[in-house]
Amino acid sequence: MKNQRKLIIITGPSGVGKGTVVKEILEKNNTFWLSISATTREPRIGEKDGREYYFLTKRKFREMIIKGLFLEWAEFAGNLYGTLEESVTKKINIGSIVILEIEVEGAKQVREKYPNTLSIFLLPPSKKELEKRIRNRATDNEESILRRLKRAEFEIDSSKEFDFAITNQNLDETVEEILELIKVSN
Ligand code: 5GP
């Protein structure tokens, strides 16, 4: 893949606000493209296949792993999530900046494969605030919330492995900081 700085990872624990931040970034710059991941998780109310995710069975997902179709994939809170390599390379080859909004393990795989990727880790202002955000989102059941919180501890510990760590205290400031980082690194 040429022009590897065209690949931007936004990672961090579930509930930190990655989705909101990325949505805002896309609204501010229409030359960016957000990769649509595949997942085996059940769609949440309002989610549409092919828009938020490609919702797949575990069997289909595993077939695609064997075929080598994923740029990266990881298990998260009992489900599989993965980035489709072909769609990402196609977009990069036509000059788009591609954003991956993914969890930490997958982000590490992408960095190993493409060391020149720009990786940004979003930190919550505090663990308490993270729990509040996950609970307020009200999209997950208690078991899933607890799994996500437990995993967040380990995820936050690995924030130093990424190029930049930004505390997501204020949406506008976080977005501006990320846009600036993308600008200076391209
Ligand atoms: P959710 O179930 O809340 O939509 O996503 C759970 C976690 O999986 C989030 O941290 C999200 O960023 C991450 N995720 C979404 N798509 C992918 C992907 O393609 N690969 C990896 N590794 N993680 C993903």
Side-chain angles (χ1 to χ4, degrees), residues 10-15 18-19 35-39 41-42 44 47 52-53 61 70 72-77 79-84 100-107 109 137 139-140 144 148 151 155:
I10 309 287
T11 191
S14 172
K18 299 191 291 287
S35 163
I36 302 167
S37 299
T39 184
R41 142 164 107 54
E42 288 292 318
R44 292 178 182 140
E47 285 184 334
E52 280 78 14
Y53 284 106
F61 197 103
F70 290 114
E72 62 71 37
W73 67 272
E75 183 165 353
F76 180 92
N79 292 298
L80 303 173
Y81 295 81
T83 303
L84 299 159
L100 305 181
E101 188 232 297
I102 59 179
E103 57 69 64
V104 170
E105 283 304 306
Q109 292 170 41
R137 202 161 62 163
T139 45
D140 303 295
S144 174
R148 282 162 191 256
R151 179 142 173 152
E155 292 185 304

Side-chain angles (χ1 to χ4, degrees), residues 6-181:
K6 299 290 177 203
L7 194 54
I8 317 283
I9 297 173
I10 309 287
T11 191
S14 172
V16 77
K18 299 191 291 287
T20 315
V21 166
V22 166
K23 200 166 154 245
E24 195 74 13
I25 289 173
L26 294 174
E27 271 171 23
K28 295 213 164 173
N29 193 320
N30 58 15
T31 62
F32 296 168
W33 181 76
L34 174 65
S35 163
I36 302 167
S37 299
T39 184
T40 62
R41 142 164 107 54
E42 288 292 318
R44 292 178 182 140
I45 293 165
E47 285 184 334
K48 217 173 128 192
D49 187 43
R51 190 178 62 193
E52 280 78 14
Y53 284 106
Y54 297 106
F55 294 98
L56 306 179
T57 60
K58 279 206 167 136
R59 187 193 171 119
K60 176 81 187 156
F61 197 103
R62 293 203 184 282
E63 269 173 31
M64 290 170 67
I65 295 175
I66 292 166
K67 285 188 186 154
L69 298 181
F70 290 114
L71 168 59
E72 62 71 37
W73 67 272
E75 183 165 353
F76 180 92
N79 292 298
L80 303 173
Y81 295 81
T83 303
L84 299 159
E85 180 138 32
E86 197 186 47
S87 58
V88 170
T89 37
K90 267 191 187 156
K91 285 286 177 183
I92 287 183
N93 290 341
I94 61 163
S96 302
I97 288 186
V98 172
I99 300 183
L100 305 181
E101 188 232 297
I102 59 179
E103 57 69 64
V104 170
E105 283 304 306
K108 288 183 192 168
Q109 292 170 41
V110 178
R111 295 193 68 213
E112 271 167 30
K113 222 165 167 179
Y114 301 113
N116 206 20
T117 303
L118 175 66
S119 59
I120 299 168
F121 192 102
L122 292 186
L123 285 163
S126 67
K127 286 183 184 165
K128 227 173 160 182
E129 177 63 25
L130 185 72
E131 176 161 4
K132 206 171 109 195
R133 288 184 192 176
I134 294 182
R135 290 192 179 280
N136 284 351
R137 202 161 62 163
T139 45
D140 303 295
N141 60 31
E142 186 63 19
E143 189 204 343
S144 174
I145 290 171
L146 294 177
R147 284 174 105 157
R148 282 162 191 256
L149 284 171
K150 194 161 167 242
R151 179 142 173 152
E153 306 254 337
F154 142 85
E155 292 185 304
I156 290 169
D157 283 346
S158 59
S159 66
K160 288 182 201 71
E161 294 174 38
F162 296 91
D163 296 330
F164 298 96
I166 297 174
T167 302
N168 184 25
Q169 183 101 44
N170 172 288
L171 175 64
D172 291 341
E173 283 173 16
T174 303
V175 168
E176 283 314 314
E177 240 179 285
I178 293 176
L179 288 173
E180 193 55 33
L181 287 174

Side-chain angles (χ1 to χ4, degrees), residues 179-186:
L179 288 173
E180 193 55 33
L181 287 174
I182 297 174
K183 204 163 103 188
V184 297
S185 63
N186 268 283

